[in-house]
DNA sequence: AAAATACATACCGCCAGTCGGTATCAAAAG
DNA sequence: CTTTTGATACCGACTGGCGGTATGTATTTT
Protein backbone atom coordinates (compact mmCIF):
# COMPACT_ATOMS: atom_id res chain seq x y z
CA UNK A 1 0.00 0.00 0.00
CA UNK A 2 1.26 3.41 -0.94
CA UNK A 3 2.22 5.71 1.84
CA UNK A 4 -0.25 8.46 2.61
CA UNK A 5 1.09 11.97 2.33
CA UNK A 6 -1.37 13.20 4.97
CA UNK A 7 -1.16 10.74 7.85
CA UNK A 8 -3.78 12.62 9.88
CA UNK A 9 -6.32 11.40 7.35
CA UNK A 10 -5.25 7.86 8.09
CA UNK A 11 -5.49 8.50 11.82
CA UNK A 12 -8.98 9.91 11.38
CA UNK A 13 -10.03 6.93 9.28
CA UNK A 14 -8.81 4.58 11.97
CA UNK A 15 -10.64 6.49 14.69
CA UNK A 16 -13.88 6.66 12.71
CA UNK A 17 -13.76 3.00 11.82
CA UNK A 18 -12.93 1.97 15.38
CA UNK A 19 -15.71 4.19 16.73
CA UNK A 20 -18.21 2.51 14.46
CA UNK A 21 -17.08 -0.99 15.38
CA UNK A 22 -16.76 -0.30 19.10
CA UNK A 23 -20.33 0.99 19.11
CA UNK A 24 -21.72 -1.90 17.10
CA UNK A 25 -19.88 -4.77 18.72
CA UNK A 26 -18.48 -3.31 21.90
CA UNK A 27 -14.88 -2.54 22.71
CA UNK A 28 -13.85 -5.94 24.02
CA UNK A 29 -15.58 -7.79 21.22
CA UNK A 30 -13.88 -5.74 18.53
CA UNK A 31 -10.56 -7.11 17.38
CA UNK A 32 -7.75 -5.17 15.76
CA UNK A 33 -8.21 -7.45 12.79
CA UNK A 34 -11.85 -6.31 12.60
CA UNK A 35 -10.66 -2.73 12.29
CA UNK A 36 -8.12 -3.73 9.65
CA UNK A 37 -10.77 -5.58 7.66
CA UNK A 38 -13.22 -2.68 7.92
CA UNK A 39 -10.55 -0.25 6.75
CA UNK A 40 -9.76 -2.56 3.87
CA UNK A 41 -6.44 -1.12 2.83
CA UNK A 42 -4.38 -0.89 5.97
CA UNK A 43 -2.30 -3.37 7.91
CA UNK A 44 -1.68 -4.10 11.56
CA UNK A 45 1.62 -2.32 11.35
CA UNK A 46 -0.10 0.83 10.12
CA UNK A 47 -2.43 0.91 13.10
CA UNK A 48 0.28 0.25 15.61
CA UNK A 49 2.34 2.94 13.98
CA UNK A 50 -0.30 5.56 14.75
CA UNK A 51 -1.58 4.13 18.04
CA UNK A 52 0.44 2.45 20.70
CA UNK A 53 -2.30 0.08 21.82
CA UNK A 54 -5.94 -0.83 21.42
CA UNK A 55 -6.63 1.12 24.60
CA UNK A 56 -4.97 4.11 22.98
CA UNK A 57 -7.44 3.87 20.11
CA UNK A 58 -10.29 3.79 22.61
CA UNK A 59 -8.91 6.95 24.19
CA UNK A 60 -8.89 8.72 20.84
CA UNK A 61 -12.41 7.47 20.14
CA UNK A 62 -13.61 8.83 23.49
CA UNK A 63 -12.02 12.20 22.81
CA UNK A 64 -13.68 12.28 19.42
CA UNK A 65 -17.04 11.58 21.04
CA UNK A 66 -16.59 14.33 23.60
CA UNK A 67 -15.54 16.82 20.99
CA UNK A 68 -18.80 17.96 19.47
CA UNK A 69 -20.62 18.41 22.76
CA UNK A 70 -17.77 20.50 24.12
CA UNK A 71 -17.57 22.73 21.06
CA UNK A 72 -21.31 23.25 21.11
CA UNK A 73 -21.17 24.27 24.73
CA UNK A 74 -18.13 26.43 24.10
CA UNK A 75 -20.11 28.27 21.43
CA UNK A 76 -22.98 28.84 23.83
CA UNK A 77 -20.54 30.03 26.42
CA UNK A 78 -19.51 33.07 24.43
CA UNK A 79 -23.03 34.23 23.68
CA UNK A 80 -23.60 37.51 25.46
CA UNK A 81 -27.17 37.88 24.25
CA UNK A 82 -28.53 34.97 26.29
CA UNK A 83 -29.34 34.69 29.97
CA UNK A 84 -28.01 31.74 31.94
CA UNK A 85 -31.45 30.20 31.77
CA UNK A 86 -31.65 30.53 28.00
CA UNK A 87 -28.25 28.89 27.64
CA UNK A 88 -29.43 26.03 29.84
CA UNK A 89 -32.50 25.54 27.71
CA UNK A 90 -30.48 25.52 24.53
CA UNK A 91 -28.09 23.03 26.07
CA UNK A 92 -30.84 20.62 27.00
CA UNK A 93 -32.25 21.01 23.51
CA UNK A 94 -28.90 20.33 21.86
CA UNK A 95 -28.18 17.31 23.99
CA UNK A 96 -30.88 15.44 22.15
CA UNK A 97 -30.12 16.04 18.52
CA UNK A 98 -26.39 16.34 18.31
CA UNK A 99 -24.69 14.36 15.60
CA UNK A 100 -22.87 12.19 18.06
CA UNK A 101 -26.06 11.27 19.86
CA UNK A 102 -27.76 10.40 16.60
CA UNK A 103 -25.01 8.23 15.22
CA UNK A 104 -24.39 6.73 18.60
CA UNK A 105 -28.03 5.86 19.07
CA UNK A 106 -28.45 4.36 15.64
CA UNK A 107 -25.31 2.25 15.92
CA UNK A 108 -25.30 0.97 19.47
CA UNK A 109 -27.54 -2.06 19.92
CA UNK A 110 -27.62 -1.86 23.69
CA UNK A 111 -25.21 -0.14 25.98
CA UNK A 112 -25.34 -3.12 28.32
CA UNK A 113 -22.75 -4.75 26.13
CA UNK A 114 -20.83 -1.51 26.12
CA UNK A 115 -19.98 -0.70 29.72
CA UNK A 116 -16.95 1.20 28.51
CA UNK A 117 -19.14 3.70 26.68
CA UNK A 118 -21.56 3.97 29.58
CA UNK A 119 -18.72 4.76 31.98
CA UNK A 120 -17.28 7.19 29.46
CA UNK A 121 -20.63 8.98 29.18
CA UNK A 122 -20.97 9.24 32.93
CA UNK A 123 -17.50 10.54 33.55
CA UNK A 124 -17.31 12.95 30.65
CA UNK A 125 -20.70 14.27 31.71
CA UNK A 126 -19.42 14.92 35.20
CA UNK A 127 -15.94 16.14 34.32
CA UNK A 128 -16.37 18.11 31.13
CA UNK A 129 -20.04 18.99 30.71
CA UNK A 130 -21.18 19.60 34.29
CA UNK A 131 -18.58 22.34 35.03
CA UNK A 132 -19.77 24.26 31.99
CA UNK A 133 -23.39 23.88 33.02
CA UNK A 134 -22.44 25.10 36.44
CA UNK A 135 -21.09 28.22 34.78
CA UNK A 136 -24.42 28.80 33.05
CA UNK A 137 -26.26 28.30 36.31
CA UNK A 138 -24.04 30.80 38.09
CA UNK A 139 -24.69 33.25 35.27
CA UNK A 140 -28.38 32.61 35.68
CA UNK A 141 -28.13 33.28 39.39
CA UNK A 142 -26.42 36.60 38.73
CA UNK A 143 -28.80 37.71 36.00
CA UNK A 144 -31.74 36.53 38.08
CA UNK A 145 -33.08 33.92 35.68
CA UNK A 146 -32.16 30.94 37.88
CA UNK A 147 -32.42 30.25 41.59
CA UNK A 148 -30.42 27.66 43.50
CA UNK A 149 -27.99 27.48 46.37
CA UNK A 150 -26.07 24.50 44.96
CA UNK A 151 -25.09 25.26 41.36
CA UNK A 152 -22.35 22.65 41.28
CA UNK A 153 -24.42 19.79 42.61
CA UNK A 154 -27.41 20.84 40.52
CA UNK A 155 -25.35 20.76 37.33
CA UNK A 156 -24.02 17.29 38.11
CA UNK A 157 -27.44 15.85 38.83
CA UNK A 158 -28.96 17.56 35.84
CA UNK A 159 -26.50 16.10 33.37
CA UNK A 160 -26.70 12.69 35.01
CA UNK A 161 -30.47 12.60 34.68
CA UNK A 162 -30.51 14.00 31.15
CA UNK A 163 -27.70 11.90 29.74
CA UNK A 164 -28.15 8.67 31.62
CA UNK A 165 -31.51 8.32 33.30
CA UNK A 166 -33.53 9.77 30.45
CA UNK A 167 -31.45 8.02 27.81
CA UNK A 168 -33.55 5.19 26.36
CA UNK A 169 -30.34 3.55 25.26
CA UNK A 170 -29.31 3.08 28.87
CA UNK A 171 -32.74 2.44 30.33
CA UNK A 172 -34.88 1.16 27.53
CA UNK A 173 -38.50 2.15 27.85
CA UNK A 174 -41.71 2.56 25.97
CA UNK A 175 -42.92 5.88 24.67
CA UNK A 176 -45.28 6.34 27.60
CA UNK A 177 -42.61 5.52 30.12
CA UNK A 178 -40.29 8.00 28.48
CA UNK A 179 -43.00 10.62 28.54
CA UNK A 180 -43.63 9.99 32.23
CA UNK A 181 -39.92 10.30 32.90
CA UNK A 182 -39.77 13.54 31.00
CA UNK A 183 -42.76 15.00 32.86
CA UNK A 184 -41.22 14.17 36.19
CA UNK A 185 -37.88 15.55 35.07
CA UNK A 186 -39.59 18.81 34.13
CA UNK A 187 -41.02 18.92 37.61
CA UNK A 188 -37.74 18.17 39.38
CA UNK A 189 -35.57 20.47 37.33
CA UNK A 190 -38.08 23.25 37.85
CA UNK A 191 -37.85 22.87 41.59
CA UNK A 192 -34.06 22.59 41.34
CA UNK A 193 -33.50 25.80 39.42
CA UNK A 194 -36.56 27.77 40.43
CA UNK A 195 -37.97 27.93 36.92
CA UNK A 196 -38.89 25.52 34.12
CA UNK A 197 -35.96 24.70 31.86
CA UNK A 198 -37.40 21.80 29.88
CA UNK A 199 -40.24 22.82 27.61
CA UNK A 200 -42.42 20.56 25.52
CA UNK A 201 -40.64 21.39 22.29
CA UNK A 202 -37.99 18.94 23.42
CA UNK A 203 -40.60 16.21 23.47
CA UNK A 204 -40.67 15.73 19.73
CA UNK A 205 -36.96 15.28 19.62
CA UNK A 206 -37.16 13.01 22.58
CA UNK A 207 -39.44 10.61 20.80
CA UNK A 208 -37.38 10.58 17.62
CA UNK A 209 -34.50 9.88 19.95
CA UNK A 210 -36.35 6.92 21.40
CA UNK A 211 -37.51 5.58 18.06
CA UNK A 212 -33.92 5.30 16.94
CA UNK A 213 -33.23 2.93 19.74
CA UNK A 214 -36.37 0.85 19.88
CA UNK A 215 -37.66 1.00 16.36
CA UNK A 216 -41.40 1.08 16.99
CA UNK A 217 -42.79 4.60 17.32
CA UNK A 218 -45.24 3.70 20.06
CA UNK A 219 -46.53 0.71 21.95
CA UNK A 220 -49.56 2.57 23.24
CA UNK A 221 -51.27 2.91 19.89
CA UNK A 222 -52.54 -0.44 18.75
CA UNK A 223 -52.74 -0.28 14.97
CA UNK A 224 -54.34 -3.40 13.60
CA UNK A 225 -53.62 -3.51 9.89
CA UNK A 226 -56.68 -1.94 8.36
CA UNK B 1 -5.86 -32.59 44.40
CA UNK B 2 -8.39 -34.61 46.29
CA UNK B 3 -11.94 -34.22 45.22
CA UNK B 4 -14.09 -32.11 47.49
CA UNK B 5 -17.05 -33.87 48.97
CA UNK B 6 -19.00 -30.58 49.13
CA UNK B 7 -18.62 -28.94 45.72
CA UNK B 8 -20.69 -25.93 46.68
CA UNK B 9 -17.82 -24.91 48.95
CA UNK B 10 -15.51 -24.98 45.96
CA UNK B 11 -17.99 -22.95 43.94
CA UNK B 12 -18.21 -20.39 46.72
CA UNK B 13 -14.43 -20.21 47.00
CA UNK B 14 -14.16 -19.55 43.28
CA UNK B 15 -16.80 -16.84 43.41
CA UNK B 16 -15.24 -15.14 46.42
CA UNK B 17 -11.77 -15.24 44.95
CA UNK B 18 -12.96 -13.98 41.59
CA UNK B 19 -14.96 -11.20 43.28
CA UNK B 20 -11.87 -10.06 45.12
CA UNK B 21 -9.68 -10.11 42.01
CA UNK B 22 -12.29 -8.53 39.73
CA UNK B 23 -12.64 -5.68 42.19
CA UNK B 24 -8.92 -5.19 42.65
CA UNK B 25 -7.76 -5.52 39.07
CA UNK B 26 -10.91 -5.23 37.03
CA UNK B 27 -12.70 -7.96 35.13
CA UNK B 28 -10.80 -7.74 31.87
CA UNK B 29 -7.45 -7.49 33.62
CA UNK B 30 -8.08 -10.59 35.71
CA UNK B 31 -7.03 -13.81 34.07
CA UNK B 32 -8.33 -17.27 34.81
CA UNK B 33 -4.78 -18.13 35.79
CA UNK B 34 -4.88 -15.31 38.36
CA UNK B 35 -7.92 -16.92 39.93
CA UNK B 36 -6.22 -20.32 39.91
CA UNK B 37 -3.11 -18.87 41.53
CA UNK B 38 -5.12 -17.03 44.17
CA UNK B 39 -7.06 -20.18 44.96
CA UNK B 40 -3.79 -22.07 45.27
CA UNK B 41 -5.08 -25.62 45.11
CA UNK B 42 -7.37 -25.75 42.13
CA UNK B 43 -6.81 -26.17 38.42
CA UNK B 44 -8.31 -24.74 35.28
CA UNK B 45 -10.34 -27.88 34.83
CA UNK B 46 -11.92 -27.40 38.23
CA UNK B 47 -13.05 -23.89 37.40
CA UNK B 48 -14.39 -24.84 34.00
CA UNK B 49 -16.17 -27.75 35.58
CA UNK B 50 -18.21 -25.42 37.80
CA UNK B 51 -18.47 -22.47 35.42
CA UNK B 52 -18.89 -22.63 31.70
CA UNK B 53 -16.97 -19.42 30.97
CA UNK B 54 -15.27 -16.43 32.53
CA UNK B 55 -18.39 -14.44 31.78
CA UNK B 56 -20.35 -17.03 33.71
CA UNK B 57 -18.14 -16.41 36.73
CA UNK B 58 -18.81 -12.69 36.41
CA UNK B 59 -22.52 -13.44 36.38
CA UNK B 60 -22.23 -15.39 39.61
CA UNK B 61 -20.13 -12.63 41.13
CA UNK B 62 -22.75 -10.05 40.18
CA UNK B 63 -25.51 -12.17 41.68
CA UNK B 64 -23.48 -12.52 44.85
CA UNK B 65 -23.10 -8.77 45.04
CA UNK B 66 -26.79 -8.16 44.54
CA UNK B 67 -27.74 -10.74 47.11
CA UNK B 68 -27.31 -8.96 50.38
CA UNK B 69 -29.06 -5.78 49.27
CA UNK B 70 -32.01 -7.75 48.00
CA UNK B 71 -32.36 -9.85 51.16
CA UNK B 72 -32.14 -6.73 53.31
CA UNK B 73 -34.87 -5.10 51.28
CA UNK B 74 -36.91 -8.28 51.31
CA UNK B 75 -36.72 -8.27 55.10
CA UNK B 76 -37.89 -4.66 55.23
CA UNK B 77 -40.66 -5.52 52.86
CA UNK B 78 -42.37 -7.84 55.29
CA UNK B 79 -42.28 -5.45 58.20
CA UNK B 80 -45.83 -4.45 59.02
CA UNK B 81 -44.86 -2.15 61.87
CA UNK B 82 -43.22 0.46 59.62
CA UNK B 83 -44.71 3.10 57.40
CA UNK B 84 -43.52 3.43 53.84
CA UNK B 85 -41.48 6.42 54.87
CA UNK B 86 -39.79 4.56 57.70
CA UNK B 87 -38.87 1.74 55.35
CA UNK B 88 -37.39 4.26 52.94
CA UNK B 89 -35.29 5.78 55.69
CA UNK B 90 -34.02 2.41 56.80
CA UNK B 91 -33.19 1.54 53.23
CA UNK B 92 -31.13 4.69 52.71
CA UNK B 93 -29.39 3.96 56.00
CA UNK B 94 -28.62 0.38 55.03
CA UNK B 95 -27.31 1.31 51.62
CA UNK B 96 -24.28 2.84 53.25
CA UNK B 97 -23.06 0.21 55.64
CA UNK B 98 -23.88 -3.07 54.05
CA UNK B 99 -21.14 -5.64 53.98
CA UNK B 100 -20.94 -5.62 50.24
CA UNK B 101 -20.51 -1.89 50.12
CA UNK B 102 -17.77 -2.05 52.73
CA UNK B 103 -15.76 -4.79 51.10
CA UNK B 104 -16.37 -3.33 47.70
CA UNK B 105 -15.20 0.09 48.76
CA UNK B 106 -12.10 -1.16 50.50
CA UNK B 107 -11.07 -3.34 47.57
CA UNK B 108 -11.85 -1.32 44.49
CA UNK B 109 -9.12 1.21 43.68
CA UNK B 110 -11.23 3.20 41.27
CA UNK B 111 -14.31 2.12 39.45
CA UNK B 112 -13.01 3.82 36.32
CA UNK B 113 -11.03 0.70 35.64
CA UNK B 114 -14.13 -1.31 36.40
CA UNK B 115 -16.80 -0.22 33.96
CA UNK B 116 -18.38 -3.64 34.30
CA UNK B 117 -19.09 -3.09 37.97
CA UNK B 118 -20.33 0.41 37.38
CA UNK B 119 -22.75 -0.80 34.75
CA UNK B 120 -23.78 -3.64 37.01
CA UNK B 121 -24.48 -1.22 39.87
CA UNK B 122 -26.54 1.02 37.63
CA UNK B 123 -28.62 -1.73 36.13
CA UNK B 124 -29.19 -3.75 39.26
CA UNK B 125 -30.19 -0.52 40.99
CA UNK B 126 -32.75 0.18 38.32
CA UNK B 127 -34.01 -3.35 37.79
CA UNK B 128 -33.93 -4.95 41.21
CA UNK B 129 -33.75 -2.21 43.84
CA UNK B 130 -35.87 0.55 42.32
CA UNK B 131 -39.02 -1.57 41.94
CA UNK B 132 -38.85 -2.45 45.63
CA UNK B 133 -38.36 1.17 46.58
CA UNK B 134 -41.32 2.02 44.42
CA UNK B 135 -43.34 -0.39 46.52
CA UNK B 136 -42.31 1.40 49.69
CA UNK B 137 -43.20 4.73 48.17
CA UNK B 138 -46.62 3.49 47.16
CA UNK B 139 -47.11 2.21 50.69
CA UNK B 140 -46.08 5.60 51.95
CA UNK B 141 -48.58 7.27 49.68
CA UNK B 142 -51.36 5.04 50.99
CA UNK B 143 -50.44 5.46 54.65
CA UNK B 144 -49.96 9.18 54.14
CA UNK B 145 -46.26 9.37 55.05
CA UNK B 146 -45.08 10.16 51.52
CA UNK B 147 -46.34 12.42 48.76
CA UNK B 148 -45.54 12.11 45.08
CA UNK B 149 -47.34 11.62 41.81
CA UNK B 150 -44.49 9.65 40.19
CA UNK B 151 -43.47 6.83 42.54
CA UNK B 152 -41.78 4.83 39.80
CA UNK B 153 -39.65 7.64 38.45
CA UNK B 154 -38.87 8.90 41.94
CA UNK B 155 -37.58 5.51 43.01
CA UNK B 156 -35.33 5.27 39.97
CA UNK B 157 -33.82 8.69 40.46
CA UNK B 158 -33.44 8.15 44.16
CA UNK B 159 -31.44 4.98 43.81
CA UNK B 160 -29.37 6.47 40.98
CA UNK B 161 -28.41 9.45 43.08
CA UNK B 162 -27.77 7.44 46.23
CA UNK B 163 -25.83 4.61 44.63
CA UNK B 164 -23.99 6.41 41.88
CA UNK B 165 -23.92 10.15 42.29
CA UNK B 166 -23.27 10.14 46.01
CA UNK B 167 -20.85 7.24 45.77
CA UNK B 168 -17.35 8.59 46.34
CA UNK B 169 -16.01 5.56 44.55
CA UNK B 170 -17.68 6.66 41.36
CA UNK B 171 -17.22 10.39 41.78
CA UNK B 172 -14.30 10.87 44.10
CA UNK B 173 -14.62 13.93 46.25
CA UNK B 174 -13.36 15.57 49.39
CA UNK B 175 -15.25 15.45 52.65
CA UNK B 176 -16.67 18.92 52.12
CA UNK B 177 -17.79 18.13 48.62
CA UNK B 178 -19.48 14.98 49.83
CA UNK B 179 -21.19 16.94 52.60
CA UNK B 180 -22.41 19.51 50.09
CA UNK B 181 -23.73 16.74 47.90
CA UNK B 182 -25.51 15.17 50.83
CA UNK B 183 -27.11 18.46 51.88
CA UNK B 184 -28.41 19.06 48.40
CA UNK B 185 -29.64 15.50 48.18
CA UNK B 186 -31.56 15.98 51.43
CA UNK B 187 -33.17 19.00 49.86
CA UNK B 188 -34.06 17.31 46.59
CA UNK B 189 -35.37 14.10 48.08
CA UNK B 190 -37.47 16.10 50.49
CA UNK B 191 -39.12 17.96 47.64
CA UNK B 192 -39.48 14.69 45.73
CA UNK B 193 -41.29 12.78 48.45
CA UNK B 194 -42.88 15.61 50.37
CA UNK B 195 -40.95 14.88 53.55
CA UNK B 196 -37.31 14.50 54.63
CA UNK B 197 -36.05 10.95 54.22
CA UNK B 198 -32.33 11.50 54.74
CA UNK B 199 -31.47 12.54 58.26
CA UNK B 200 -28.09 13.56 59.60
CA UNK B 201 -27.48 10.25 61.32
CA UNK B 202 -26.50 8.97 57.92
CA UNK B 203 -23.74 11.53 57.77
CA UNK B 204 -21.40 9.64 60.09
CA UNK B 205 -21.69 6.55 57.99
CA UNK B 206 -21.27 8.60 54.89
CA UNK B 207 -17.90 9.86 56.00
CA UNK B 208 -16.65 6.46 57.06
CA UNK B 209 -17.80 5.40 53.64
CA UNK B 210 -15.72 8.10 52.04
CA UNK B 211 -12.65 7.48 54.17
CA UNK B 212 -12.54 3.91 52.95
CA UNK B 213 -12.11 5.14 49.42
CA UNK B 214 -9.84 8.14 49.83
CA UNK B 215 -7.92 7.35 52.98
CA UNK B 216 -7.59 10.78 54.49
CA UNK B 217 -10.46 11.61 56.86
CA UNK B 218 -10.66 15.25 55.83
CA UNK B 219 -8.87 17.81 53.74
CA UNK B 220 -10.59 20.73 55.44
CA UNK B 221 -8.82 20.34 58.75
CA UNK B 222 -5.19 21.30 58.42
CA UNK B 223 -3.30 19.44 61.14
CA UNK B 224 0.32 20.47 61.16
CA UNK B 225 2.25 17.96 63.25
CA UNK B 226 2.37 19.61 66.61
C1' DA C 1 -20.23 -52.73 39.89
C1' DA C 2 -21.75 -48.86 37.40
C1' DA C 3 -22.66 -44.27 36.84
C1' DA C 4 -21.95 -39.72 37.95
C1' DT C 5 -19.22 -36.24 39.82
C1' DA C 6 -14.91 -33.44 40.88
C1' DC C 7 -11.16 -32.57 39.55
C1' DA C 8 -6.10 -32.49 36.61
C1' DT C 9 -3.35 -31.67 32.39
C1' DA C 10 -2.10 -31.27 27.86
C1' DC C 11 -3.54 -28.91 24.18
C1' DC C 12 -5.87 -25.47 20.57
C1' DG C 13 -7.11 -21.25 18.28
C1' DC C 14 -7.14 -16.51 18.63
C1' DC C 15 -5.79 -12.15 20.04
C1' DA C 16 -2.91 -7.86 21.24
C1' DG C 17 1.31 -6.44 20.52
C1' DT C 18 6.35 -6.69 18.36
C1' DC C 19 9.95 -6.46 15.11
C1' DG C 20 12.69 -6.38 11.11
C1' DG C 21 11.97 -4.85 6.77
C1' DT C 22 10.36 -1.85 2.58
C1' DA C 23 8.58 2.07 0.18
C1' DT C 24 7.98 6.91 -0.06
C1' DC C 25 8.88 11.48 1.02
C1' DA C 26 11.51 16.04 2.23
C1' DA C 27 15.44 18.30 2.72
C1' DA C 28 20.36 18.64 2.76
C1' DA C 29 24.56 17.90 0.08
C1' DG C 30 26.94 17.59 -4.09
C1' DC D 1 19.31 19.23 -11.20
C1' DT D 2 20.87 14.98 -9.11
C1' DT D 3 22.21 12.34 -5.19
C1' DT D 4 22.26 11.28 -0.45
C1' DT D 5 20.35 10.93 3.86
C1' DG D 6 17.25 10.40 7.26
C1' DA D 7 12.70 10.35 8.75
C1' DT D 8 8.14 8.72 8.25
C1' DA D 9 4.27 5.55 6.66
C1' DC D 10 3.33 1.17 6.28
C1' DC D 11 3.82 -4.17 5.75
C1' DG D 12 3.36 -8.96 7.53
C1' DA D 13 5.42 -12.81 9.84
C1' DC D 14 5.92 -13.92 14.41
C1' DT D 15 5.27 -14.49 19.72
C1' DG D 16 3.43 -15.08 24.26
C1' DG D 17 -0.41 -15.35 26.75
C1' DC D 18 -5.21 -15.78 27.00
C1' DG D 19 -9.96 -18.18 27.17
C1' DG D 20 -11.63 -22.40 26.34
C1' DT D 21 -11.64 -27.74 25.28
C1' DA D 22 -10.65 -32.70 25.30
C1' DT D 23 -9.42 -36.42 27.56
C1' DG D 24 -8.05 -38.85 31.40
C1' DT D 25 -8.35 -40.16 36.49
C1' DA D 26 -9.70 -40.50 41.11
C1' DT D 27 -13.51 -40.27 44.26
C1' DT D 28 -18.17 -40.41 45.56
C1' DT D 29 -22.92 -41.94 44.98
C1' DT D 30 -26.37 -45.29 43.62
Amino acid sequence: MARNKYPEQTVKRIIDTALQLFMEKGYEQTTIQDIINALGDLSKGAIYHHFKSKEDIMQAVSDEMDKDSTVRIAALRNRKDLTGLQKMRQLAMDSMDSDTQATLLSAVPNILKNPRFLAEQIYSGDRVVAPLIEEFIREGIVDGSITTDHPKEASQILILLLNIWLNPLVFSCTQEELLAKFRYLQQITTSMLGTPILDDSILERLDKYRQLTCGSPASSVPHPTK
Side-chain angles (χ1 to χ4, degrees), chain A residues 64-101:
Chain A
E64 178 69 24
M65 285 177 61
D66 285 351
K67 224 174 77 178
D68 86 70
S69 72
T70 50
V71 302
R72 268 186 301 105
I73 298 178
L76 266 182
R77 204 177 175 183
N78 299 325
R79 295 277 293 270
K80 294 295 175 191
D81 57 322
L82 298 179
T83 66
L85 177 60
Q86 287 170 322
K87 290 183 182 180
M88 290 287 300
R89 286 189 174 137
Q90 189 59 44
L91 188 93
M93 204 74 175
D94 285 357
S95 78
M96 274 161 216
D97 76 339
S98 70
D99 282 350
T100 310
Q101 283 290 353

Side-chain angles (χ1 to χ4, degrees), chain A residues 85 89 144-149 186-197:
Chain A
L85 177 60
R89 286 189 174 137
S145 59
I146 290 175
T147 311
T148 179
D149 52 347
Q186 282 184 312
Q187 197 173 309
I188 290 204
T189 51
T190 301
S191 90
M192 280 171 72
L193 302 182
T195 183
I197 57 162

Side-chain angles (χ1 to χ4, degrees), chain A residues 25-183:
Chain A
K25 310 176 48 170
Y27 172 76
E28 310 292 349
Q29 286 68 44
T30 301
T31 192
I32 297 292
Q33 193 58 46
D34 289 337
I35 301 177
I36 295 166
N37 294 344
L39 283 163
D41 56 354
L42 281 181
S43 72
K44 207 165 201 176
I47 290 181
Y48 278 95
H49 171 71
H50 293 290
F51 298 93
K52 70 180 214 287
S53 68
K54 190 184 171 187
E55 200 61 37
D56 193 34
I57 299 177
M58 180 63 187
Q59 188 59 51
V61 165
S62 297
D63 290 348
E64 178 69 24
M65 285 177 61
D66 285 351
K67 224 174 77 178
D68 86 70
S69 72
T70 50
V71 302
R72 268 186 301 105
I73 298 178
L76 266 182
R77 204 177 175 183
N78 299 325
R79 295 277 293 270
K80 294 295 175 191
D81 57 322
L82 298 179
T83 66
L85 177 60
Q86 287 170 322
K87 290 183 182 180
M88 290 287 300
R89 286 189 174 137
Q90 189 59 44
L91 188 93
M93 204 74 175
D94 285 357
S95 78
M96 274 161 216
D97 76 339
S98 70
D99 282 350
T100 310
Q101 283 290 353
T103 53
L104 197 134
L105 287 164
S106 58
V108 174
N110 67 333
I111 228 169
L112 257 168
K113 292 287 167 203
N114 257 320
R116 291 294 305 262
F117 278 129
L118 179 58
E120 177 59 30
Q121 276 264 88
I122 291 178
Y123 283 104
S124 84
D126 195 71
R127 285 193 325 260
V128 335
V129 183
L132 295 167
I133 296 190
E134 183 184 348
E135 226 182 281
F136 294 167
I137 295 183
R138 289 190 186 278
E139 273 183 54
I141 294 174
V142 171
D143 67 36
S145 59
I146 290 175
T147 311
T148 179
D149 52 347
H150 285 83
K152 184 177 175 179
E153 288 73 24
S155 69
Q156 290 172 5
I157 292 183
L158 211 79
I159 203 65
L160 187 65
L161 295 182
L162 262 174
N163 277 356
I164 307 299
W165 181 65
L166 196 64
N167 192 336
L169 203 67
V170 181
F171 299 118
S172 68
C173 54
T174 67
Q175 189 180 11
E176 312 85 73
E177 286 171 334
L178 189 64
L179 181 62
K181 279 185 164 191
F182 181 76
R183 290 296 178 206

